[in-house]
Amino acid sequence: SSQNLSEEFAEAARQLKKEAPRIQFGKIDVTHQHNLRKEFNIQVFPTVKFFVNGSREDPIDCKGVRKASTFITWVKRRTGPSTVLINSTEQAEAIIKADDLAVIGFFKELHNDSVEVFCETARDVPEMPFGMTASEDVCANYGIQKNSLVVFKKGKPVHNEVLEDGRQNKLGLTRLIKTFTLDLVTEYNIETSVKIFDVPVENHILLFTPTNSETFDAIYENYKSAAAEFRGKILFVLVDTNEARNGRVFEYFRIRDIDVPAVRILNLTSDARYKMPADEVTVENLKEFCQSYLNGKAKQHLSSEEIPEDWDKMPVKMLVGKNFNSIVF
C-alpha cells in the first residue's frame, strides 16, 4: 500500500542521510499538484522517480521497490558501482553465502559489452547482491570457462547463463534473475499474488487442477519440467481448483470443474488469453504450447457460449464470441 511504501521510503531517507547526504528524498501529494502530475505523467500511485544532476528531464523510474533496504541499494547502485569486484574465492564465497540469492558475473576481462549489460542489470535488481570477477582462480574454482552469469541460491549454483557479446539484453536478464525470487512453479494465493505481479515477466501460464487428485503428482512434475525450460520468458503458476478463494481467477478464465486440469497462457500487457490445444498435460504438450505462443503462432482463446440455434431467426441477430467475427466482419 502507499502508506507502507511511504514509511519504507522515509526509513531509507533517514539511513542515507548519514551515509550519502548528497541524495535528497522528497514526497509530493499530486492531488494538489496538478502541474507536476502532468509534467511527469504520473499515472499510478505511488510512483518513485530519481532525478540526476539537478535536471528535471528524463528522471529514472524506480519500480517494484518496496523495502527501505532495497531503496538504499537501488540508489547506491545508481550513484556508484552497481556490483562488487571480486578478487578471491573467499570474497566470492562470502557474497554467495551472505544472502538467500546472489548473482555473480564471471568474465575473461572486464571491458566488453557483456560486462556493461551485467552492470546495468545489477542496477535494476536491487533485491539481491551482485558481484563480478575476471580472476582466473575464481573462475576455475567454480568450473567456469566462458563469460557467464551464475545465480546462486542458498550457496549453490542454480542457473548458468552464458553471456555472449551483444547477444543478451538487460531486460531479458532482469526478468530471468527476478524469477528466482519465486519458486520454479508458484502456487497462486493471496500472499504470492503480489510477488507474482512484481516479477516483470508479462507472459503467465496457469495450470488449473485440484491438488488432491490422484493424477496431481504426475501432472505437477510435467509442469515443473517445462517450467525449467522457459524460465524468464513465461512465469509458471499453479491454481488449486479446490481452493474456494480462487473463485475469481476461475471466473476470469471461464474455467469450470469439468474442464480441469486446464492450461491457459495470459499476456498481461494485452490481456489476451490462450488455451492449450491438447487435453493431456504432458511435458511435450506443454513445451509445444509455450513455444508456439512465443513464436506468435498460438490461437487466442475467446471465451464464448455456444452459438444459439435460432441466432439468425429474428431481424436482430444473436451474437456470441464464436460467431461475432464471422458475422460482423
Side-chain angles (χ1 to χ4, degrees):
S1 72
S2 282
Q3 184 58 36
N4 268 359
L5 193 87
S6 195
E7 285 164 15
E8 294 288 332
F9 190 67
E11 180 53 36
R14 266 196 298 280
Q15 290 185 35
L16 274 173
K17 199 170 182 182
K18 304 181 197 86
E19 286 182 61
R22 278 178 50 246
I23 298 163
Q24 302 287 324
F25 281 67
K27 201 160 68 166
I28 296 169
D29 179 354
V30 288
T31 47
H32 303 301
Q33 302 286 337
H34 297 295
N35 291 349
L36 287 175
R37 181 177 181 175
K38 202 170 160 192
E39 181 183 348
F40 299 115
N41 189 23
I42 308 297
Q43 310 269 347
V44 291
F45 303 101
T47 290
V48 178
K49 287 184 182 282
F50 185 46
F51 293 83
V52 187
N53 298 333
S55 163
R56 56 201 293 161
E57 303 296 317
D58 300 325
I60 303 162
D61 272 325
C62 176
K63 286 182 185 152
V65 176
R66 293 169 187 273
K67 283 206 196 87
S69 58
T70 323
F71 268 122
I72 292 168
T73 305
W74 190 91
V75 168
K76 280 183 173 174
R77 288 185 188 175
R78 291 273 162 195
T79 53
S82 60
T83 65
V84 176
L85 190 58
I86 295 168
N87 295 312
S88 69
T89 302
E90 293 74 39
Q91 205 186 348
E93 282 298 295
I95 291 174
I96 289 162
K97 290 186 171 149
D99 266 287
D100 247 15
L101 286 159
V103 182
I104 309 286
F106 296 89
F107 299 100
K108 291 270 190 295
E109 37 111 29
L110 291 178
H111 303 286
N112 60 32
D113 290 354
S114 298
V115 173
E116 211 168 293
V117 170
F118 181 78
C119 292
E120 280 179 16
T121 305
R123 286 192 190 108
D124 281 351
V125 190
E127 302 93 316
M128 51 190 92
F130 273 67
M132 67 177 183
T133 187
S135 151
E136 283 181 25
D137 292 350
V138 178
C139 291
N141 183 66
Y142 295 97
I144 306 289
Q145 276 146 12
K146 293 180 173 173
N147 288 348
S148 303
L149 173 157
V150 181
V151 180
F152 290 84
K153 197 165 189 172
K154 294 191 165 61
K156 293 194 170 63
V158 286
H159 186 84
N160 182 332
E161 186 81 7
V162 173
L163 300 174
E164 294 175 51
D165 260 12
R167 284 287 177 85
Q168 268 80 10
N169 68 14
K170 184 188 69 162
L171 186 59
L173 288 179
T174 303
R175 283 176 174 157
L176 174 73
I177 293 163
K178 285 206 177 197
T179 60
F180 287 94
T181 60
L182 297 171
D183 295 326
L184 193 53
V185 171
T186 306
E187 184 168 351
Y188 180 89
N189 58 41
I190 303 298
E191 291 76 45
T192 61
S193 62
V194 174
K195 284 183 175 179
I196 288 169
F197 290 108
D198 260 356
V199 173
V201 177
E202 63 173 3
N203 307 312
H204 290 187
I205 187 168
L206 299 97
L207 166 64
F208 294 87
T209 184
T211 53
N212 64 354
S213 75
E214 288 172 19
T215 54
F216 175 72
D217 288 348
I219 287 173
Y220 186 67
E221 280 312 308
N222 293 346
Y223 197 57
K224 248 167 94 170
S225 292
E229 200 161 307
F230 293 96
R231 186 154 216 161
K233 296 185 180 87
I234 301 177
L235 207 59
F236 277 62
V237 179
L238 168 70
V239 185
D240 182 4
T241 53
N242 278 341
E243 175 54 71
R245 283 177 297 188
N246 291 338
R248 281 176 64 190
V249 186
F250 312 147
E251 266 174 46
Y252 179 74
F253 285 94
R254 300 268 179 106
I255 302 282
R256 301 161 303 170
D257 286 346
I258 55 165
D259 295 332
V260 299
V263 178
R264 300 281 188 276
I265 284 178
L266 168 69
N267 179 293
L268 297 188
T269 309
S270 66
D271 201 39
R273 283 160 263 182
Y274 303 81
K275 179 183 181 180
M276 185 164 80
D279 286 334
E280 281 191 52
V281 186
T282 64
V283 179
E284 282 69 33
N285 289 343
L286 286 162
K287 283 184 181 176
E288 204 172 300
F289 180 39
C290 291
Q291 204 49 62
S292 74
Y293 168 75
L294 291 174
N295 295 344
K297 302 240 170 82
K299 266 209 190 108
Q300 208 170 317
H301 177 59
L302 304 164
S303 306
S304 169
E305 305 111 74
E306 289 308 312
I307 301 169
E309 277 178 24
D310 57 355
W311 72 271
D312 202 10
K313 296 272 192 298
M314 307 296 277
V316 176
K317 311 300 177 202
M318 285 282 288
L319 298 179
V320 293
K322 281 185 179 167
N323 70 352
F324 185 86
N325 264 356
S326 58
I327 305 306
V328 176
F329 300 113

